[in-house]
Amino acid sequence: MRKIRGKILFCAMVKAIVLVLLLGLSGGSVCAQKKPVKQPAAPGVSAATVERVVRTLAADDMLGRASGQPGGEKAADFLVAEFQRIGLEPLPGLTDFSQSFPVYEAHTKPILVSVDGAVVPAERYVLVSGQPKLNWMHYDEPSPRVITIGAKDNLLKEIRPLLNPQANTIVFVDTAQAKAFKRVAGFVARAGLRPDKPAPFSTLLVLGAAPAGPLKFLVTATTDIRTVMLRNVVGVLPGLDKNRAQEQVVFSGHYDHIGILPAVAGDSIANGADDDASGTTAVVALAEYFKQRHNNARPLVFVAFVAEEIGGFGARYFSQQLPPAQVVAMFNIEMIGKQAKFGPNTAFITGFDKSDFGRLLQQNAQGSVFRFEPDPYPEQNLFYRSDNATLARLGVPAHTISTDQIPTDKLYHSVNDEVESLDLPNMTAVITAIGRAAAPIISGQQTPTRIVGE
Ligand SMILES: [Zn+2]
């Protein structure tokens, strides 16, 4: 789950410890031995797989699974091996389970910035450039756009598009904006991977008034542009009905997390057990479950996304590699490791009213102990804060299933999001319920309505 930029949630968390009675939802074999059954039960979601996968992904040696970092790569390698073990096939067009794509990182080192003949001190300018060697001055044609931002303007909003420069621009910012200017400088200094190759243009922000006469300036800098390959891990379980080959059902979660944070009590690894080792585990456990059942008429696509936390670039790339019209539903699974506010054996669905996907799942869970509920936190905008949003914007009934009590989740994006905080029996029940409620969708009996594109 991504943070809403600039918004920090402070709340107390009440942790309920509730005994979960799974009533046959976990494993299957234990119950089968206790009760006489006439027919051999179909294999359920494996509690052992759930525990092994979530513990592996959230272990300290995964170093918080940051995209493009060794820990993230290690997590991807592990997921590739899991898809191999289960017996999935590569996505058509790929030769293995890695769906790789480039992202970029640009670091600009200014050498000299002068305006109107005077050197501008470092704390009074911000330079963003996509030009490896910048030697820019007022004689150059075409001359830059010049923008002024007044004391009352929303600096952050005005500036955002200029931080990925598509034209040479110089911005003079009223000194009343000094505080916001500092925030922009911090944001630029921390900027990491981005999906688009930097274009050969520059933006210079100067804190101060524009000179009265003709603008004279000189800017020299070097910019180091690095390409980093990231990868989603994608596997397919082909459908049994060849007439439904164009009706894919996607199960997804993001395997990346936020990496290393400032240490708290000697711990600096943001393990991301709930966010989103739990959802990635669901993807693996469901792949195994559906492979064993071997009754899916529609093709099933299992995806572990990279780069959710840094902007959803993995989901964006994935959505560009297949026609959205061929995806009949997306089950995106995000933070299902702790009990939902509705109690054990419940989960909620974001964007509940945007298609009938949620109502279908509710209907399909009837007669079981499990309940799907509409997202109880619409003000959190969760529908747009996870990887379902990219395909949803293209019309796919793509929703996120979660249990997280996000307004009061103190472990969210902290070093304490660890396996010990998860309720694994309840998590297994959630995964089982998703597998069962998905049955009429993967068989082709049900097709959720499309989301109206934006
Ligand atoms: Zn997150």
Side-chain angles (χ1 to χ4, degrees):
M1 197 77 76
R2 283 191 287 285
K3 271 191 175 165
I4 299 174
R5 194 169 285 155
K7 194 171 180 182
I8 302 169
L9 304 161
F10 292 104
C11 263
M13 187 181 85
V14 179
K15 189 174 178 188
I17 300 167
V18 183
L19 183 66
V20 183
L21 297 172
L22 287 171
L23 297 174
L25 284 176
S26 73
S29 60
V30 175
C31 297
Q33 283 161 10
K34 284 182 186 163
K35 282 192 280 182
V37 279
K38 287 177 184 145
Q39 290 171 346
V45 166
S46 162
T49 296
V50 169
E51 174 156 6
R52 180 178 56 80
V53 174
V54 77
R55 283 194 186 281
T56 304
L57 288 172
D60 281 352
D61 64 2
M62 293 286 178
L63 301 169
R65 306 187 304 278
S67 294
Q69 301 289 325
E73 278 302 294
K74 186 170 175 150
D77 286 342
F78 167 71
L79 292 165
V80 164
E82 284 296 301
F83 283 6
Q84 187 82 47
R85 170 186 71 79
I86 292 165
L88 300 183
E89 296 183 6
L91 196 66
L94 294 181
T95 52
D96 58 31
F97 299 120
S98 295
Q99 184 184 51
S100 301
F101 59 96
V103 292
Y104 306 91
E105 197 172 35
H107 284 295
T108 297
K109 278 195 209 122
I111 298 163
L112 175 72
V113 174
S114 88
V115 172
D116 229 12
V119 171
V120 183
E123 66 278 9
R124 293 184 80 90
Y125 72 83
V126 174
L127 178 65
V128 180
S129 180
Q131 287 156 291
K133 279 202 181 348
L134 183 62
N135 210 336
W136 184 25
M137 61 190 297
H138 52 273
Y139 294 122
D140 296 344
E141 292 290 341
S143 23
R145 289 188 300 174
V146 177
I147 294 174
T148 54
I149 292 188
K152 300 261 184 271
D153 293 331
N154 183 338
L155 176 67
L156 298 173
K157 196 173 151 217
E158 305 281 334
I159 281 309
R160 192 159 290 159
L162 302 175
L163 297 183
N164 181 12
Q166 303 299 313
N168 288 329
T169 308
I170 298 182
V171 186
F172 290 96
V173 179
D174 193 290
T175 50
Q177 300 263 18
K179 251 172 118 176
F181 188 87
K182 209 171 166 184
R183 284 218 295 281
V184 171
F187 176 72
V188 168
R190 286 191 309 273
L193 301 171
R194 53 207 246 185
D196 300 310
K197 193 168 189 172
F201 300 107
S202 304
T203 293
L204 174 67
L205 308 180
V206 179
L207 185 63
L215 178 58
K216 286 195 211 152
F217 66 90
L218 171 64
V219 179
T220 55
T222 60
T223 295
D224 195 20
I225 299 173
R226 205 163 66 93
T227 304
V228 179
M229 294 306 288
L230 299 183
R231 56 180 161 147
N232 298 321
V233 181
V234 191
V236 179
L237 198 53
L240 301 177
D241 182 349
K242 293 302 160 215
N243 295 323
R244 294 188 182 275
Q246 317 283 299
E247 301 178 12
Q248 294 159 336
V249 180
V250 175
F251 294 87
S252 61
H254 70 91
Y255 74 86
D256 70 302
H257 195 53
I258 56 176
I260 304 295
L261 294 177
V264 178
D267 184 6
S268 59
I269 299 169
N271 302 73
D274 202 3
D275 185 8
D276 188 23
S278 68
T280 307
T281 297
V283 171
V284 173
L286 287 168
E288 182 181 63
Y289 169 76
F290 288 126
K291 170 77 180 177
Q292 286 170 357
R293 291 180 76 83
H294 190 64
N295 64 358
N296 54 298
R298 287 174 161 156
L300 310 185
V301 181
F302 300 92
V303 198
F305 288 122
V306 70
E308 191 271 356
E309 299 288 3
I310 57 173
F313 311 146
R316 181 175 114 151
Y317 183 80
F318 174 81
S319 73
Q320 292 163 345
Q321 308 309 308
L322 79 180
Q326 290 186 14
V327 181
V328 298
M330 179 197 223
F331 294 72
N332 186 56
I333 307 164
E334 167 86 275
M335 303 186 74
I336 55 163
K338 304 194 282 280
Q339 289 187 9
K341 70 176 274 186
F342 307 104
N345 289 309
T346 65
F348 64 83
I349 297 165
T350 68
F352 194 85
D353 293 326
K354 292 181 186 290
S355 80
D356 67 358
F357 175 91
R359 274 182 293 279
L360 290 175
L361 294 200
Q362 280 184 331
Q363 184 187 317
N364 299 344
Q366 269 169 25
S368 79
V369 295
F370 200 92
R371 258 168 40 239
F372 290 100
E373 296 280 350
D375 176 3
Y377 316 113
E379 73 288 352
Q380 292 274 346
N381 214 15
L382 298 177
F383 184 74
Y384 293 104
R385 283 171 60 187
S386 189
D387 283 329
N388 64 291
T390 311
L391 277 169
R393 286 193 169 100
L394 299 170
V396 177
H399 298 260
T400 292
I401 300 171
S402 178
T403 62
D404 190 38
Q405 302 190 34
I406 192 136
T408 54
D409 186 349
K410 283 206 291 192
L411 309 184
Y412 173 71
H413 283 204
S414 81
V415 297
N416 295 321
D417 179 3
E418 306 201 36
V419 169
E420 288 64 37
S421 66
L422 304 190
D423 178 339
L424 294 182
N426 191 63
M427 182 171 142
T428 306
V430 173
I431 300 168
T432 300
I434 294 170
R436 289 187 177 169
I441 296 175
I442 68 164
S443 73
Q445 285 165 268
Q446 292 176 344
T447 301
T449 53
R450 307 295 287 177
I451 285 178
V452 179
E454 285 162 23

